[in-house]
Amino acid sequence: DTGVSQNPRHKITKRGQNVTFRCDPISEHNRLYWYRQTLGQGPEFLTYFQNEAQLEKSRLLSDRFSAERPKGSFSTLEIQRTEQGDSAMYLCASSLDPGGINEKLFFGSGTQLSVL
Amino acid sequence: QQQVKQSPQSLIVQKGGISIINCAYENTAFDYFPWYQQFPGKGPALLIAIRPDVSEKKEGRFTISFNKSAKQFSLHIMDSQPGDSATYFCAAQDTGGFKTIFGAGTRLFVKA
């Protein structure tokens, strides 16, 4: 168990550029989540995958955001035409579907995005 | 819409003292209440969790107290240590749900 891995750890970009983040979940975990965390706040849910299927997207996720999880393994989160308000820590978490029983999330260390 | 309200925002406790963090929720469909601990530069990590069919759960120095009628729950850290200095988040999840809703967090500093 090597934990949830996120890359890059830090990303600085100019407003209007596109950025892509990667998340490698714990290998046997079939659920994968993206959260966003701003300074002084708790993580906010963005989207959720069960294997390769994206089952839920938050209203926080504008059309500029897209997430994929091909083959149910790693996931990518892309932000197009970045805005300064996109600056935040983007956290990935994974879990093993407990079959309806409340679950434990395993978080990565996040990607800190700064939009200049 | 803040479904889980957490207080205080920050807390300073002397080494050996008791740290108490409080949370309140609105959605009665919530049935699982985890607490996460986050150190700077790291993602949150599950610390302890409780279901509403019990009023208290203890793991080592960490205790959750749960009041279902008041829709409130709290984290108590006994014998607080400098290594406990971190941000603590209460959270809530509904039956069979996939979405964990987090509180805004409490920054705890334990003075040596």
Side-chain angles (χ1 to χ4, degrees):
Chain A
D1 178 1
T2 57
V4 178
S5 177
Q6 291 189 246
N7 288 288
R9 291 295 311 277
H10 305 274
K11 180 69 178 179
I12 300 173
T13 190
K14 292 182 179 179
R15 188 163 50 104
Q17 297 294 303
N18 299 344
V19 294
T20 300
F21 311 141
R22 177 179 170 124
C23 172
D24 288 90
I26 294 172
S27 58
E28 66 268 26
H29 285 184
N30 56 351
R31 289 187 173 186
L32 186 146
Y33 305 78
W34 285 98
Y35 280 81
R36 181 169 66 189
Q37 185 177 23
T38 53
L39 197 63
Q41 296 298 315
E44 295 177 295
F45 171 82
L46 292 179
T47 190
Y48 151 66
F49 290 86
Q50 177 91 8
N51 299 310
E52 67 274 12
Q54 187 175 19
L55 298 185
E56 180 76 11
K57 288 175 65 173
S58 166
R59 283 171 287 181
L60 292 175
L61 218 61
S62 77
D63 291 344
R64 298 184 296 105
F65 288 71
S66 62
E68 293 182 343
R69 192 184 182 195
K71 303 179 182 178
S73 55
F74 71 92
S75 176
T76 58
L77 177 67
E78 181 183 17
I79 309 174
Q80 296 182 325
R81 304 181 303 282
T82 53
E83 301 173 356
Q84 288 184 326
D86 297 332
S87 295
M89 173 76 81
Y90 289 84
L91 291 163
C92 176
S94 69
S95 71
L96 184 62
D97 181 1
I101 300 173
N102 304 113
E103 62 179 349
K104 174 179 178 178
L105 297 179
F106 292 81
F107 281 89
S109 293
T111 294
Q112 181 66 53
L113 173 66
S114 298
V115 182
L116 305 179
Chain B
Q1 183 184 2
Q2 193 175 5
Q3 295 191 55
V4 181
K5 296 183 179 180
Q6 183 172 349
S7 63
Q9 277 189 309
S10 61
L11 183 60
I12 300 174
V13 174
Q14 292 284 348
K15 178 182 176 182
I18 302 173
S19 304
I20 302 174
I21 304 170
N22 300 299
C23 281
Y25 64 97
E26 299 165 1
N27 188 345
T28 54
F30 290 148
D31 70 346
Y32 178 66
F33 301 90
W35 285 87
Y36 283 79
Q37 179 188 54
Q38 185 177 29
F39 292 104
K42 299 292 186 182
L46 181 67
L47 187 64
I48 186 173
I50 196 168
R51 292 178 59 89
D53 52 350
V54 297
S55 60
E56 185 175 284
K57 183 174 182 180
K58 183 176 181 179
E59 290 184 2
R61 296 184 294 109
F62 301 91
T63 300
I64 301 178
S65 297
F66 191 88
N67 185 331
K68 187 174 181 178
S69 61
K71 293 188 285 185
Q72 295 175 345
F73 58 109
S74 60
L75 176 70
H76 295 233
I77 306 174
M78 312 300 287
D79 187 26
S80 298
Q81 299 297 312
D84 297 330
S85 297
T87 299
Y88 293 81
F89 296 98
C90 61
Q93 193 181 87
D94 60 21
T95 305
F98 54 83
K99 188 186 302 184
T100 300
I101 308 297
F102 288 83
T106 296
R107 293 186 67 178
L108 171 66
F109 180 69
V110 181
K111 294 170 67 174

